[in-house]
Amino acid sequence: MRVPLLRACLAALSLLSTTYALYESEAGIVDWHKSLIGVPLTGSLGTAPSFHRATKDDGWTTSLIISATSSNVLGALNAEDGAVAWRHVFAANDPIAVFKKQQSTVAALSGPGGSTLRTFDALTGDLLLEKRMHAPEHGTLYEPESLGTSVAFVPGSNNLLVLTSGHTLASVDGKTGETLWKWSSEDQGSLIIYSRIIYTPIAIYLLGIAKSTASFTLHATTLSPADGTLIASQNIPSGLPPTSPATSFLLLTNPNSTRTPHAVWLDTKNGLSTFNLTPNLKGSVGAWKGTKYTDVIDVGLAEENGLFVAIAEDGQSKAIRLGDAGDKGFEVVYSFPDSVTSPARSPSIYSGGFDKDGNPYIARVFWWHTFKVNLSLIFHEQGGYIQTLAINTATCIGKVFAFDTNTHGVMTHVTHDAGPMGDQFATRFMVSTSTGGLQMYHTTGGTKTRLDWTREEGLANVQVAEYVEIPERLVIESGGADAERFGDRLIRQIIEAKDFPRYAMNFAKRFATGSYASVSESAPASPTDGPLSRDAFGFRQVIVAATSYGKVYGIDSSNGEILWSRVLGLGWAAEVGGKIIPFKLYTTRTVADVGEDGEAGTPQVVLVTQRRADNTLVDTVLFHIDAMTGEDSRKQSPTADLLQGFDIISGPIVEAFFLQNSTRTVVLFDEYMQVYLYPESTESEADFEAAASSLHFQVRTGGPDARQLMGHSVMLNPELSKRFVGYPTSALALPAHEEIQSVIPSRRGPVASIGKVLGNRTTLYKYLNPHLVAVTTASPASHPPSCAIYVADVAKGTVVYHAVLPASGGACHVQATLAENWLVYHYFDEDLQGQSKGYRAVSVEFYEGALVDDKIKSSDMSSFSNETTRVTAYDRAYVSQHGISALTTTSTKFGVTAKDIIFATTDGKIQSLPRRIFDPRRPSRKPTAEEVEEQLVQYEPVLPSPAQRILSHKHEVANVRKIVTAPALLESTSLVFAYGLDLFHTRIAPSGTFDVLSENFNKAQLVLTIIGLAGAIVVTKPMVQRKRLRERW
Amino acid sequence: MFTSLEYSTIDNSKWRNLPPPLGFSASSGTSKGPSKMSGSTADSASYVKLKESRAWEFAIAPAKSLPMQAFMLYMSGGGVQIFSMGIVFMLLMTPFKNIAAINSGFAPFEPATPPTKSFSALPLQKVVYVLCNILTLAVGLWKCRGMGLLPTGTGDWLAFESRGFAPEITLM
């Protein structure tokens, strides 16, 4: 018994040791990781980024910018350098509703109606407290999410006041999480939705909106701070604007004055109105006489400093403070200059901030289309402009800042803080942009501002990404013209020959001492002077990535640097506004292709997008981009401007495909299944026409409950249309209740071998049908709910493989990948037939015929042959230890190297596992000699999870949505790029780097040995000759 | 420059008529004299018979050495090593060498003098000889097969199989 066990252990060891492992010295050299927090949610003050000054243990303070983001992350950035100080990734079903911060604590409410309260350490992001306020299904969701949820810190204690679902206020001990008391309004939020809390030692004020018959009115409630008993509750006679009731009222307090808290709102009848709040709510409504205001803006200073910004009818903005001075305590502190509405200026963005001592400041930021600063030397055509107002001294400083609207879109949000600088003050401010960028500026003396750092948070929303190979560096200039006469050439070569001795010397030197490029080093930096060029092994490629924020990036795959970025122009929709959603990305010209001018051109990509204009019109727009520089390959848009696309279809797109024959053509189908080709050249049209009769493609059709995957062909009917039109030919009919979740095309790449040779030298021929797709479906309506996976031939609609999988909690999270004849899928198995629940991974291999040596030539067989279903599937199920969010295989240049499975686990790791582990032919007993010859090891149900195969090692790669792999120039190596919230890139050699010299290859030793042997020959040759001569005598 | 002794150049005519040493040829020659005529046919018949039996022996010699070679093969093991490969090569090569040199090999046993070195001489023995050599070859091939050196499986020819393109193109 002992011997087999030992053997099994040895086999397992050899399995791990012969395969790839990441060495410590390679971490951070072969890979890079970009930690992102996502694009800040700037819609509401409760989630928008804001500065926070936190005190460290040693007494020093550090500034952080804390924000909730659209990626559902609560994150903090260091204001100094823009690095991520900490972040907390919330689950997808637990959206952040609001967060509040106070000194060393950040409190966040998340989930439906604010079901979960969490508090974090502001400096480290450590989770201090997590408390379920109510079950998520009992939460009431309002639109926007920040309505009806709020958190307030009780001064002088650890307690928190937590408002959830718009009707329940709880006092929670911030240390223990214990609920001290809880109060719910009588009508449970059906009529009154509270949204603001103010704590005073004599009463807790709750302010919300009440639905009355015609409009919305303000409703105030006061509670006892000790035990939460109701003191008073009544409507304030008011009429809120019906379009934006939630944002048109404020709750003001100013601890530095004797005034009681006030409610301020924009009344539809009386304009700006106030109401002084007392515990018994016996206040009176006061209307703002004189100026008519159209908007009140909470800059985050209302509830603690009694400050807000009001906009008058003509656009003039004023900072107003509740205090001891002024009319009934309200005083206009400052009227911002140049704030009257003007076509030369964009609408202003207001921000509230503090300095180190807690003095409030208000900043106003806008974009100035044309302005001139005459007093100083600065003479700008256009730019960003910031006015910072110090409330205490009522001084306002205006500065210009160089916001680049062509690379960052427009400003959507600003947050700032201030610090004294001599008798003046300096401002730091962070601008959020419409392309998902964050830019930190600070003002210096004079009218100058400096950019501190830029973060591209839009990269947390990459929609499509592809690798693009880049050309080699040109070292040798071609000599002279093509038609060079013999004499001229002779002269030129003689002249050039004078360099030969130097060349020979260099060659000898290089041969003797030169070092070779190493695979475990990072790719050497591209020369800064010349154009971008690849390294010796092709590890440097350009990753072209397009985000849903209308920006496309070129990223250097060797170090993660952003080489170029372009903002996608909206075209005609710029007038009305809109959004560009990337759909597909294709490489239309590679380094191997020849450009129009006959020389090897630079690689180009075509980005297929859908533009949704705000007037609901949808168009399909193409962007043709030079992958090396980001230039418009159609030469329509200048370098520093927006990238303008090409409106190919005025309407939505149904599908986009890539036809790769003699040309590389993007094939697009509109709603009427008409064919559009890009590039619109005669060659690509001819190419398409030639291939048209044999083209097949699949389209998802049908509404809910009748979804089908229809196989289509194209035909040309010149009488009806000059375009080819797609028509259905076959259908993969699914049961009525099944919903298609995803269609996964088989990964196309070179196939090194068409069969698998067994130990007895028979062959299992791989089923290499090029028309296979994997389809995952969900049928939530069936009993019990189930999921399914199909592998189907889309040209004919036949199902090759079908498995029904259990659904976990009614949902299907099936991940699958299909490469060559190999399908791997992963799902969660919930207590199936008494077995334990857990993740399962299933590996399926398809082989032709029923037995060994059976062949049907599946790879070049017509799809309409009867033989296509003569296929045998071998499968094995494994127990997986992780939930996974993305799954793929490696890809190499010639497909010789074994494929590894690469997957991203839900706990933020990227891991690889060798194909040998997934071999479905692993025997359940001890392998026989023939099976050992095939390198099969005994089947073990649990997939190993060795730590050395975690490609992301120490990094947390959160929420990976997709993993893209691409071949390097080395056959052994595959590049791996994972994107989701974070970006992570590495390279992996599944079978070891067999095609390069080993790291410890001793070149010096080899050269010395050769020299030594040559020397020995020189010495011994005359000796031997002499000896021979003597023998003759 | 090598020097060699050329005995043929010696002019031996003057030694030819010397009498043989005492007790040598004369007595034997005379004593055998009478039987020479009567026995010459019988003698030559027995001589031919002897040759024939020697030819048979020669023909089945490869088969005789088979047990020894089989033993050697057994001892050399199934692995592909220099020793086993040497034996296998010997087994595979000798039959061809033998068959190539079949006529000169049988020349000493041919009844006709000088030997004709044609296939028509000793045909039966030669056929048996070829068969025995084929037997040796078969043993060698059997060994090769045992070592997995014969390309008999489809797996050995997989690399030479090629596939074209499918007649339909699926856009993905």
Side-chain angles (χ1 to χ4, degrees):
Chain A
M1 192 57 222
R2 180 167 293 174
V3 175
L5 189 71
L6 187 70
R7 252 190 220 164
C9 290
L10 281 176
L13 267 178
S14 67
L15 194 69
L16 297 178
S17 61
T18 54
T19 49
Y20 175 84
L22 184 79
Y23 294 96
E24 194 183 351
S25 62
E26 290 174 358
I29 290 170
V30 301
D31 54 22
W32 53 263
H33 174 238
K34 259 192 210 306
S35 185
L36 299 169
I37 60 167
V39 180
L41 290 168
T42 54
S44 126
L45 204 62
T47 55
S50 61
F51 273 87
H52 183 66
R53 198 178 285 276
T55 312
K56 288 196 260 190
D57 294 337
D58 54 9
W60 290 87
T61 61
T62 178
S63 281
L64 299 168
I65 296 151
I66 302 176
S67 178
T69 70
S70 61
S71 304
N72 211 17
V73 172
L74 183 68
L77 304 174
N78 287 329
E80 292 294 317
D81 55 358
V84 178
W86 56 266
R87 62 175 188 179
H88 185 87
V89 183
F90 285 69
N93 56 3
D94 192 23
I96 304 171
V98 68
F99 77 91
K100 278 274 165 70
K101 57 207 180 345
Q102 184 214 39
Q103 286 147 18
S104 61
T105 317
V106 179
L109 264 182
S110 60
S115 59
T116 312
L117 169 76
R118 289 184 183 87
T119 60
F120 303 92
D121 187 306
L123 269 174
T124 60
D126 293 340
L127 185 63
L128 304 174
L129 172 73
E130 179 165 335
K131 184 177 168 59
R132 174 65 60 87
M133 303 304 293
H134 57 77
E137 53 272 24
H138 296 148
T140 322
L141 262 180
Y142 298 105
E143 191 61 39
E145 267 166 18
S146 54
L147 186 64
T149 52
S150 187
V151 182
F153 292 95
V154 176
S157 76
N158 281 319
N159 295 356
L160 295 159
L161 295 174
V162 184
L163 174 68
T164 55
S165 293
H167 58 71
T168 303
L169 185 75
S171 175
V172 176
D173 188 317
K175 275 259 184 302
T176 60
E178 190 190 342
T179 305
L180 303 172
W181 50 259
K182 197 172 191 172
W183 172 86
S184 284
S185 72
E186 280 168 14
D187 70 336
Q188 295 288 313
S190 62
L191 289 172
I192 304 162
I193 306 164
Y194 294 102
S195 64
R196 287 173 207 210
I197 324 166
I198 277 186
Y199 176 91
T200 62
I202 50 166
I204 294 165
Y205 296 95
L206 280 176
L207 199 60
I209 45 177
K211 275 179 241 172
S212 64
T213 47
S215 65
F216 295 96
T217 27
L218 276 180
H219 187 95
T221 297
T222 50
L223 301 172
S224 153
D227 53 2
T229 47
L230 184 71
I231 300 173
S233 178
Q234 70 169 57
N235 278 356
I236 299 170
S238 57
L240 293 172
T243 49
S244 56
T247 54
S248 52
F249 69 94
L250 303 170
L251 195 49
L252 302 176
T253 58
N254 189 347
N256 299 329
S257 80
T258 55
R259 297 276 166 182
T260 57
H262 275 65
V264 174
W265 72 94
L266 266 184
D267 201 280
T268 43
K269 287 200 198 83
N270 305 325
L272 192 62
S273 308
T274 61
F275 183 87
N276 58 326
L277 295 162
T278 50
N280 55 12
L281 297 175
K282 294 271 186 279
S284 58
V285 175
W288 203 272
K289 297 282 185 301
T291 325
K292 194 168 184 309
Y293 290 98
T294 55
D295 205 2
V296 287
I297 297 168
D298 185 357
V299 292
L301 300 173
E303 290 173 15
E304 281 161 33
N305 300 79
L307 275 162
F308 65 98
V309 174
I311 314 280
E313 228 173 355
D314 58 352
Q316 178 69 48
S317 59
K318 290 170 184 178
I320 299 176
R321 174 165 59 181
L322 169 72
D324 294 328
D327 174 29
K328 291 178 198 159
F330 285 92
E331 161 196 25
V332 173
V333 181
Y334 192 75
S335 292
F336 286 99
D338 297 320
S339 61
V340 177
T341 312
S342 154
R345 291 184 291 268
S346 74
S348 304
I349 304 163
Y350 296 90
S351 150
F354 300 94
D355 64 13
K356 213 169 186 172
D357 306 321
N359 298 316
Y361 292 77
I362 292 178
R364 166 173 174 251
V365 172
F366 56 94
W367 173 257
W368 215 328
H369 298 300
T370 51
F371 74 92
K372 285 156 194 170
V373 182
N374 293 324
L375 293 173
S376 71
L377 296 171
I378 295 173
F379 188 87
H380 277 274
E381 285 287 303
Q382 53 184 12
Y385 198 80
I386 180 164
Q387 293 172 335
T388 320
L389 168 69
I391 300 295
N392 287 8
T393 55
T395 48
C396 182
I397 298 175
K399 306 256 184 184
V400 183
F401 63 97
F403 179 75
D404 186 0
T405 190
N406 288 327
T407 49
H408 294 289
V410 296
M411 295 179 276
T412 56
H413 185 267
V414 170
T415 181
H416 82 286
D417 75 347
M421 191 178 71
D423 54 342
Q424 297 269 312
F425 57 88
T427 313
R428 269 192 303 189
F429 58 104
M430 190 187 79
V431 180
S432 309
T433 75
S434 61
T435 58
L438 298 179
Q439 284 196 310
M440 174 71 102
Y441 295 89
H442 73 268
T443 62
T444 55
T447 55
K448 293 204 182 80
T449 35
R450 221 171 63 203
L451 176 66
D452 286 345
W453 46 261
T454 301
R455 284 183 71 86
E456 293 286 359
E457 290 295 343
L459 288 172
N461 285 63
V462 172
Q463 296 297 307
V464 288
E466 285 294 335
Y467 279 96
V468 181
E469 270 187 67
I470 52 178
E472 254 183 310
R473 193 155 71 104
L474 288 177
V475 180
I476 297 160
E477 305 276 321
S478 81
D482 293 332
E484 194 181 26
R485 281 210 317 253
F486 175 74
D488 295 344
R489 195 168 71 186
L490 201 68
I491 291 163
R492 179 173 61 80
Q493 286 176 344
I494 288 169
I495 291 169
E496 281 175 1
K498 76 171 191 300
D499 292 335
F500 178 75
R502 196 162 54 98
Y503 170 80
M505 280 293 293
N506 276 342
F507 176 80
K509 214 166 127 189
R510 200 174 67 235
F511 176 75
T513 60
S515 61
Y516 298 100
S518 161
V519 277
S520 65
E521 281 169 15
S522 60
S526 195
T528 46
D529 51 339
L532 196 66
S533 60
R534 72 161 167 79
D535 59 316
F537 299 131
F539 294 154
R540 177 180 291 111
Q541 300 188 2
V542 176
I543 301 169
V544 180
T547 70
S548 51
Y549 289 90
K551 199 167 176 184
V552 59
Y553 299 85
I555 303 168
D556 185 338
S557 77
S558 62
N559 54 16
E561 215 175 282
I562 295 172
L563 298 167
W564 52 264
S565 67
R566 295 299 293 262
V567 179
L568 305 176
L570 285 169
W572 64 261
E575 309 276 311
V576 293
K579 202 165 163 32
I580 288 185
I581 301 149
F583 184 64
K584 293 269 177 82
L585 183 66
Y586 299 109
T587 308
T588 49
R589 198 166 88 183
T590 64
V591 281
D593 293 334
V594 175
E596 296 94 31
D597 48 359
E599 287 188 15
T602 52
Q604 294 176 354
V605 294
V606 166
L607 176 66
V608 183
T609 64
Q610 298 225 68
R611 180 181 59 212
R612 280 172 208 279
D614 287 349
N615 58 9
T616 70
L617 287 180
V618 179
D619 289 318
T620 304
V621 186
L622 296 183
F623 295 89
H624 194 175
I625 310 164
D626 183 326
M628 303 262 290
T629 57
E631 296 287 330
D632 186 358
S633 291
R634 297 173 57 248
K635 308 215 174 15
Q636 300 291 314
S637 24
T639 305
D641 209 345
L642 300 181
L643 188 69
Q644 291 303 339
F646 168 59
D647 294 18
I648 188 159
I649 305 173
S650 28
I653 188 172
V654 172
E655 262 303 344
F657 297 108
F658 194 51
L659 178 66
Q660 197 171 336
N661 251 347
S662 53
T663 59
R664 291 163 173 268
T665 311
V666 181
V667 183
L668 306 155
F669 288 92
D670 70 358
E671 286 172 296
Y672 311 103
M673 296 308 289
Q674 294 190 98
V675 173
Y676 294 78
L677 300 177
Y678 188 85
E680 295 171 310
S681 64
T682 46
E683 292 98 35
S684 49
E685 267 165 35
D687 196 27
F688 183 80
E689 241 177 87
S693 60
S694 56
L695 280 188
H696 293 266
F697 59 95
Q698 89 284 357
V699 173
R700 278 194 243 187
T701 57
D705 287 350
R707 291 216 192 276
Q708 281 189 325
L709 195 64
M710 302 282 284
H712 282 68
S713 291
V714 289
M715 64 172 180
L716 182 65
N717 191 341
E719 287 168 20
L720 294 175
S721 164
K722 63 181 176 29
R723 293 186 180 279
F724 278 91
V725 177
Y727 64 97
T729 53
S730 67
L732 173 72
L734 300 173
H737 49 80
E738 278 197 21
E739 286 281 312
I740 293 178
Q741 284 206 317
S742 61
V743 177
I744 303 148
S746 63
R747 292 173 59 82
R748 289 181 173 181
V751 179
S753 168
I754 55 164
K756 180 165 193 171
V757 180
L758 307 187
N760 58 7
R761 290 181 302 145
T762 50
T763 310
L764 278 172
Y765 286 92
K766 291 179 186 170
Y767 185 70
L768 296 169
N769 186 338
H771 315 295
L772 289 188
V773 292
V775 181
T776 61
T777 64
S779 37
S782 66
H783 296 286
S786 66
C787 316
I789 184 162
Y790 296 82
V791 173
D793 178 326
V794 282
K796 193 164 64 166
T798 43
V799 174
V800 174
Y801 178 84
H802 174 214
V804 177
L805 313 172
S808 63
C812 294
H813 301 289
V814 181
Q815 294 287 340
T817 182
L818 181 64
E820 290 187 11
N821 64 331
W822 185 33
L823 169 76
V824 176
Y825 58 92
H826 185 278
Y827 62 97
F828 186 76
D829 192 349
E830 215 171 31
D831 203 3
L832 180 77
Q833 292 151 11
Q835 292 167 7
S836 60
K837 59 174 76 178
Y839 293 102
R840 303 274 185 276
V842 181
S843 170
V844 190
E845 286 182 2
F846 303 103
Y847 291 103
E848 295 179 357
L851 296 165
V852 290
D853 287 348
D854 238 1
K855 60 177 158 183
I856 56 172
K857 297 199 170 187
S858 54
S859 53
D860 58 2
M861 181 173 55
S862 165
S863 198
F864 300 100
S865 159
N866 285 335
E867 298 272 275
T868 49
T869 49
R870 274 190 56 207
V871 53
T872 310
Y874 296 80
D875 52 4
R876 272 282 189 203
Y878 297 87
V879 175
S880 167
Q881 300 169 37
H882 309 279
I884 66 172
S885 60
L887 175 70
T888 192
T889 61
T890 57
S891 55
T892 55
K893 200 170 164 77
F894 302 108
V896 174
T897 308
K899 285 185 165 61
D900 267 13
I901 285 281
I902 297 179
F903 54 91
T905 63
T906 43
D907 57 351
K909 294 189 183 76
I910 311 277
Q911 198 168 358
S912 74
L913 278 177
R915 180 165 191 172
R916 287 169 63 195
I917 287 179
F918 283 100
D919 197 322
R921 294 180 59 256
R922 281 173 72 177
S924 303
R925 51 185 157 69
K926 205 170 137 283
T928 61
E930 280 183 358
E931 282 163 346
V932 168
E933 218 169 296
E934 277 184 65
Q935 299 195 323
L936 291 174
V937 284
Q938 188 169 351
Y939 170 69
E940 276 174 61
V942 179
L943 282 181
S945 182
Q948 67 266 37
R949 297 196 68 96
I950 295 173
L951 305 178
S952 54
H953 50 98
K954 62 179 183 185
H955 300 301
E956 187 209 12
V957 189
N959 290 352
V960 175
R961 286 194 303 275
K962 199 169 177 198
I963 303 174
V964 187
T965 58
L969 280 185
L970 284 183
E971 167 57 26
S972 63
T973 309
S974 174
L975 305 178
V976 180
F977 175 55
Y979 61 85
L981 173 61
D982 293 344
L983 305 183
F984 177 75
H985 184 276
T986 189
R987 49 185 194 246
I988 172 173
S991 310
T993 48
F994 55 82
D995 45 4
V996 280
L997 279 178
S998 122
E999 285 299 296
N1000 43 22
F1001 169 70
N1002 194 341
K1003 188 176 174 183
Q1005 192 183 9
L1006 180 72
V1007 170
L1008 285 179
T1009 311
I1010 292 173
I1011 291 173
L1013 287 174
I1017 289 171
V1018 169
V1019 172
T1020 51
K1021 202 174 177 183
M1023 284 162 62
V1024 171
Q1025 275 177 347
R1026 268 199 303 278
K1027 197 177 170 211
R1028 275 200 177 158
L1029 195 62
R1030 223 178 292 132
E1031 275 173 359
R1032 289 276 163 82
W1033 285 107
Chain B
M1 271 291 115
F2 295 99
T3 50
S4 57
L5 298 173
E6 285 286 338
Y7 297 102
S8 56
T9 57
I10 298 171
D11 182 17
N12 57 359
S13 56
K14 60 178 169 179
W15 313 110
R16 191 162 291 166
N17 299 324
L18 284 178
L22 276 176
F24 269 79
S25 83
S27 59
S28 70
T30 49
S31 65
K32 287 264 160 77
S35 65
K36 206 172 193 175
M37 286 310 284
S38 61
S40 67
T41 45
D43 196 25
S44 68
S46 74
Y47 188 57
V48 165
K49 215 169 192 174
L50 185 68
K51 271 191 174 173
E52 199 182 306
S53 71
R54 295 296 297 277
W56 274 117
E57 260 173 44
F58 186 75
I60 58 170
K64 273 185 180 163
S65 64
L66 265 186
M68 188 213 33
Q69 277 162 341
F71 182 71
M72 274 165 65
L73 283 182
Y74 171 73
M75 294 302 287
S76 66
V80 181
Q81 297 136 3
I82 185 90
F83 190 63
S84 57
M85 289 314 292
I87 293 171
V88 167
F89 267 114
M90 188 195 77
L91 275 179
L92 293 180
M93 294 306 293
T94 37
F96 291 103
K97 267 193 219 155
N98 290 348
I99 293 169
I102 189 166
N103 286 330
S104 52
F106 275 96
F109 316 118
E110 270 187 41
T113 42
T116 54
K117 291 192 179 176
S118 71
F119 286 105
S120 53
L122 300 170
L124 216 54
Q125 286 88 334
K126 281 183 182 172
V127 168
V128 171
Y129 185 69
V130 168
L131 285 178
C132 288
N133 273 309
I134 287 173
L135 204 64
T136 320
L137 186 70
V139 170
L141 290 176
W142 172 77
K143 179 68 183 174
C144 279
R145 194 178 147 274
M147 283 160 59
L149 295 177
L150 283 192
T152 52
T154 47
D156 300 308
W157 304 99
L158 188 66
F160 300 99
E161 282 192 51
S162 62
R163 296 283 189 272
F165 292 101
E168 292 91 16
I169 303 169
T170 310
L171 295 173
M172 282 189 192

